[in-house]
Amino acid sequence: MTEKFGARKPDLPELARVKDRLTFLYFEHAKLNRQDSALMITDSRGTAFVPAAIVSVLMLGPGVDITHRAMELIGTAGMAVVWVGERGVRQYAHGRSLNHSSRLLEAQAKLVSNTRSRIAVARKMYQMRFPNEDVSGLTMQELRGKEGSRVRKIYREQSQATGVLWTRREYNPDNFEAGTPINKALTEAHQALYGLSYSVIVAMGASAGLGFVHTGHDLAFVYDFADLYKADFSIPVAFKITAKYGNDKDIATKIRLAMRDAFTDGKLLVRMVKDLQNILNVTDEINNIDVINLWDDKLGLQKFGVQYHELDQEDDT
C-alpha cells in the first residue's frame, strides 16, 4: 500500500479561511516537487513533506527548483506564492490569490479613487495606532509627524529595554551587510512582516499596489498594512534577537524563525484578515469564491454563463 502524505484536497469555501492557516515557509537552495497532496522539499539535509492545504504562503528564495506538478498542487490548494531574493529582502512576483472574489478589490479601488474616502481610510489606519486619541481632525502631514514621533519613541524604549545601542534607522538596499547588527535585524524582521502582509493582501483578493498612505509603487498597500504591526512584531523581535545574538553571521535566519514564532503566538493572521476587511469596509465573511457576474449600468449585476439575445429594435427602414 502506497503511503499517503499531506491532507485531503480542500473544498473551495475552506480556501477562503486564510486566517486559519499556518503563516509562511521560506526555502532557498532546494527542490520542490509533489507527492499526493503534500509538497516534497529536498535539500542537502534530506527530504521533508509539507501538507499544502494548511500553509498560507510559500516564499521561494534563490536556488529553488520547483516542478510543474508542485505548482499544480499549490494552485489547487490556494497557497499564495511569493518569489523573493536572498533572506527575503527582495520581492519579485507572486502567484494567484487564495480568494477569487473581487469584492475587496472593488471596495479598495472605490475608496482609493476618491480623495475624501482615501483620507478617511488613511485616518482609520492611523487611528489603529493611536487607540486612545482622536485623530479624525488631523491632516496627513500632522498624522505623518505624529507617527514619526511614535516610532522614534518605540526605538528608544526597545533600546533601553534590551541594552542594544540605537542611533538611527539606516538601510542600504544594495548592501545589506554594511548595516549595523540592529539595522540588519530590523531590515530582516520588516521584510518578514512585508512578506506576510503581502501574502494576506493578495490571498484575500485585494491589491498590493493601491495604497492609501504610500503611493506610486506596486507594493504601496503592503507598506501601509505592515506599518500597523511593526511596533508589536518586527521592532521588538529585531531588538530581542540582536541583544541575544549580536554579530552572529546567521542572525538573518534567527530573525526569520523568531518572526515566524511571533506571527503564530500573536495570532497575527487572524488579526490581519479582520483588519483588512475592516479597513476596506467589507466586514462579512467572503465565501463566494467562484461567483462571477456581468455588470450592467441600468440592470445591475446579471448572471454569467447565460446566452443573451440581441434586443429587439425597431426597423429604421
Side-chain angles (χ1 to χ4, degrees), residues 60-98:
L60 305 181
V64 168
D65 182 7
I66 186 166
T67 67
H68 186 276
R69 288 283 289 159
M71 288 304 303
E72 178 187 36
L73 174 62
I74 288 168
T76 301
M79 187 191 306
V81 184
V82 185
W83 282 266
V84 300
E86 188 175 9
R87 300 190 181 98
V89 172
R90 294 278 196 273
Q91 290 168 302
Y92 299 123
H94 72 273
R96 187 180 187 183
S97 69
L98 176 62

Side-chain angles (χ1 to χ4, degrees), residues 263-297:
F263 293 159
T264 302
D265 296 341
K267 301 185 184 300
L268 184 55
L269 269 177
V270 176
R271 181 173 163 185
M272 280 183 164
V273 170
K274 291 181 178 178
D275 286 347
L276 181 60
Q277 292 178 315
N278 178 55
I279 289 167
L280 300 179
N281 297 328
V282 180
T283 55
D284 55 326
E285 193 75 31
I286 300 175
N287 286 323
N288 57 332
I289 302 176
D290 275 353
V291 172
I292 184 169
N293 294 292
L294 301 177
W295 179 82
D296 189 289
D297 60 332

Side-chain angles (χ1 to χ4, degrees), residues 143 182 299:
L143 289 168
I182 181 57
L299 302 177

Side-chain angles (χ1 to χ4, degrees), residues 182-200:
I182 181 57
N183 271 291
K184 288 194 289 186
L186 283 166
T187 297
E188 190 69 34
H190 289 337
Q191 288 297 333
L193 184 58
Y194 292 148
L196 187 63
S197 301
Y198 186 52
S199 302
V200 169

Side-chain angles (χ1 to χ4, degrees), residues 299-315:
L299 302 177
L301 297 180
Q302 300 296 295
K303 289 183 178 180
F304 171 75
V306 176
Q307 183 65 49
Y308 291 96
H309 299 285
E310 185 177 358
L311 293 176
D312 293 332
Q313 297 180 351
E314 292 183 2
D315 188 352

